[in-house]
Amino acid sequence: MSAALEATQLAHSFGAVRALDGVSLQVPRGEALAIVGESGSGKTTLLRCFNRLVEPQHGSVSVQGADVRSLDAVALRRRIGYVPQTGGLLPHWTVQRNVALVPTLTHHPAPAEAAARALELVGLPIGEFGARFPHELSGGQRQRVALARALAAQQEIVLLDEPFGALDAISRSALHEVFSRVRRELGFTAILVTHDLAESARLAESIAVMRAGRIEQVGTIDELQRRPATEYVASLIAQAVRSASAIVVSR
């Protein structure tokens, strides 16, 4: 399958901190890839290279075969869905207006209807939720709105930066189900940044493990378990297994 997203030999520093150090990555069309790693590993920096929120100092990035440096940054961001950890909703706008933002900016013929369809997809009927403001929603509902906004203009690519990390376990599980169902229905390409290996295995076809600005291994959860490429990957898998075992024992 052709790559919808591709990074080649990316290098980037913030002062003396090397955030990316020779990173290369491909995401096939229609697939989801999760980027896993500890804080400071470079996950979010890599994610933001694809919508030009970060301009890497070296290397190249392409979206659907086009070098992002050849594309207008604003237009690029409008065609790529983006869900930050906090949702990023405008607090003084209603749910419907938040979700209709990109369809409006891209001159969709019916932005309100596009917002209604996206909200319905994530389980928030427009009649019940459209007129509410973000502060009137639960954390899980706000993240559903953020996901709806990322899809309202029929974006074929969605970038998600730890969108479920701040939620309680019940809300997080419900959002996992929503995300998986919507991906099956729409078939968009996605990159998901997360600390949670189990979440990665549940939501993505492949996983990229990052450490200190480098990718240690890319593969399915089965490949990472059976053939870890480095000691770090092996330790990450072992830690995830111990955590899962501890949950089972506590029950």
Side-chain angles (χ1 to χ4, degrees):
M1 297 176 65
S2 59
L5 299 167
E6 184 169 6
T8 304
Q9 289 297 306
L10 298 188
H12 192 77
S13 298
F14 297 102
V17 177
R18 191 75 157 173
L20 298 175
D21 188 7
V23 171
S24 295
L25 186 70
Q26 289 187 341
V27 186
R29 294 178 188 274
E31 291 196 5
L33 176 134
I35 305 175
V36 180
E38 58 198 34
S39 297
S41 62
K43 305 185 303 295
T44 294
T45 301
L46 175 57
L47 183 81
R48 292 177 177 175
C49 288
F50 288 102
N51 60 3
R52 293 189 67 182
L53 288 176
V54 171
E55 298 276 6
Q57 292 154 340
H58 301 283
S60 63
V61 178
S62 67
V63 171
Q64 295 176 320
D67 189 318
V68 296
R69 288 191 174 94
S70 70
L71 305 173
D72 177 76
V74 173
L76 174 68
R77 290 169 196 151
R78 289 176 182 172
R79 64 185 266 205
I80 295 177
Y82 181 53
V83 184
Q85 184 174 9
T86 58
L89 302 179
L90 297 172
H92 55 292
W93 282 14
T94 64
V95 164
Q96 180 174 357
R97 191 177 179 191
N98 265 286
V99 178
L101 174 61
V102 177
T104 300
L105 293 173
T106 55
H107 307 292
H108 189 284
E113 287 80 355
R117 284 194 297 272
L119 285 166
E120 189 69 35
L121 271 175
V122 301
L124 299 178
I126 190 76
E128 183 177 353
F129 293 94
R132 297 189 190 183
F133 289 87
H135 73 271
E136 298 175 311
L137 305 176
S138 68
Q141 288 169 342
R142 285 194 294 272
Q143 288 305 87
R144 288 182 188 232
V145 174
L147 180 58
R149 184 185 57 188
L151 299 169
Q154 299 181 322
Q155 289 92 330
E156 296 179 359
I157 295 169
V158 179
L159 308 177
L160 305 101
D161 189 4
E162 300 192 54
F164 315 118
L167 302 177
D168 62 82
I170 294 174
S171 297
R172 185 163 60 249
S173 180
L175 260 294
H176 286 173
E177 292 180 8
V178 168
F179 178 77
S180 296
R181 174 178 54 77
V182 172
R183 268 204 68 232
R184 287 195 301 269
E185 291 183 26
L186 301 183
F188 56 84
T189 305
I191 296 181
L192 167 69
V193 165
T194 177
H195 286 89
D196 189 337
L197 191 60
E199 182 174 85
S200 302
R202 182 177 184 182
L203 300 181
E205 283 83 9
S206 58
I207 300 168
V209 178
M210 288 195 73
R211 183 188 187 198
R214 297 183 178 183
I215 291 180
E216 300 258 322
Q217 187 173 358
V218 180
T220 65
I221 186 63
D222 184 64
E223 290 168 342
L224 267 57
Q225 289 176 316
R226 292 178 181 273
R227 296 179 296 277
T230 66
E231 290 185 7
Y232 179 76
V233 175
S235 68
L236 193 67
I237 293 291
Q239 183 179 10
V241 170
R242 286 195 299 271
S243 297
S245 299
I247 291 172
V248 172
V249 170
S250 68
R251 287 176 178 172

